Amino acid sequence: MAILKIARMGHPVLRGRAEAVDDPCAPEIRALVADMMETLEDICGAGLAAPQVHVPLRVVLFRIPADRITEEPGAKPVGWTALLNPVVELVGDEMELGWEGCLSVPGLRGVVPRHTHVRYGGITPEGKEISREASGFHARVVQHECDHLNGVLFPTRMTDLSLFSFTGELRHGLADEVNARRDTAGRIP
Ligand code: NI
């Protein structure tokens, strides 16, 4: 087990398309996922994709902690989920705005439009196939992490760069200003 070094925006490993995993049950893949988990736990992150730790393979790891979905009625926390060769299907046209950060874009947060509902699937490191539906923050995390596998970072998904901020500056009112526009479901219209 090891805490891995995170690649930052601009590094070529974050700009390319990651390769599919040939053997989901390979010991190297299990070791990679274990190290990614240790890395995420060390920095209390919600998700990580293998290219962020300099491994250009289609592997993502995430969890949805209960305290991140308190504003979403009916949303359930999701435990650690490692997916190899994940596929995301966007469901419907509904989009919502939400704040995102990324370990590869340290110290910055931005408001990003994402599809509200997705279906996603993939293979676990145990070789099991997973298929799920997700909404809200859960759907956002899946879209964010899978974007990494195609060389896409959240700032390139932003449609309003006036809502891009250093995390430490959000306390001056930008976060409140955006949050005040939320509807009852927690979406920002
Ligand atoms: Ni990220």
Side-chain angles (χ1 to χ4, degrees):
M1 298 274 278
I3 291 172
L4 304 168
K5 188 178 178 206
I6 308 272
R8 296 187 303 170
M9 181 167 61
H11 193 289
V13 75
L14 295 173
R15 298 171 59 84
R17 187 181 160 82
E19 297 283 324
V21 174
D22 285 336
D23 177 5
C25 299
E28 307 88 81
I29 296 295
R30 278 187 198 219
L32 169 66
V33 169
D35 286 346
M36 286 170 65
M37 197 178 294
E38 192 177 1
T39 304
L40 265 184
E41 276 183 332
D42 183 58
I43 39 194
C44 295
L48 192 61
Q52 291 183 274
V53 293
H54 303 265
V55 177
L57 289 175
R58 302 188 84 75
V59 177
V60 296
L61 174 70
F62 58 88
R63 63 178 159 179
I64 309 300
D67 62 351
R68 300 294 294 271
I69 49 173
T70 50
E71 289 174 353
E72 295 178 34
K76 290 197 178 67
V78 178
W80 284 116
T81 300
L83 280 184
L84 320 175
N85 305 334
V87 176
V88 181
E89 183 192 342
L90 307 171
V91 177
D93 295 329
E94 193 185 336
M95 308 275 291
E96 61 188 46
L97 296 174
W99 287 100
E100 291 188 20
C102 179
L103 298 169
S104 295
V105 190
L108 291 163
R109 309 273 295 164
V111 171
V112 185
R114 296 284 185 188
H115 277 262
T116 306
H117 306 287
V118 299
R119 267 189 285 271
Y120 70 94
I123 307 165
T124 71
E126 292 77 37
K128 216 173 71 181
E129 272 196 42
I130 279 185
S131 176
R132 290 181 184 158
E133 293 190 11
S135 298
F137 182 70
H138 182 182
R140 176 173 298 279
V141 169
V142 169
Q143 290 169 84
H144 176 120
E145 297 313 330
C146 291
D147 262 358
H148 277 297
L149 306 181
N150 298 322
V152 175
L153 298 180
F154 82 80
T156 63
R157 293 280 189 200
M158 291 180 65
T159 49
D160 182 350
L161 287 174
S162 74
L163 302 178
F164 201 21
S165 171
F166 287 100
T167 309
E169 305 300 335
L170 288 173
R171 63 197 161 88
H172 297 299
L174 182 58
D176 292 341
E177 196 187 303
V178 172
N179 287 339
R181 286 154 54 189
R182 282 177 192 275
D183 65 18
T184 50
R187 287 187 284 267
I188 305 162

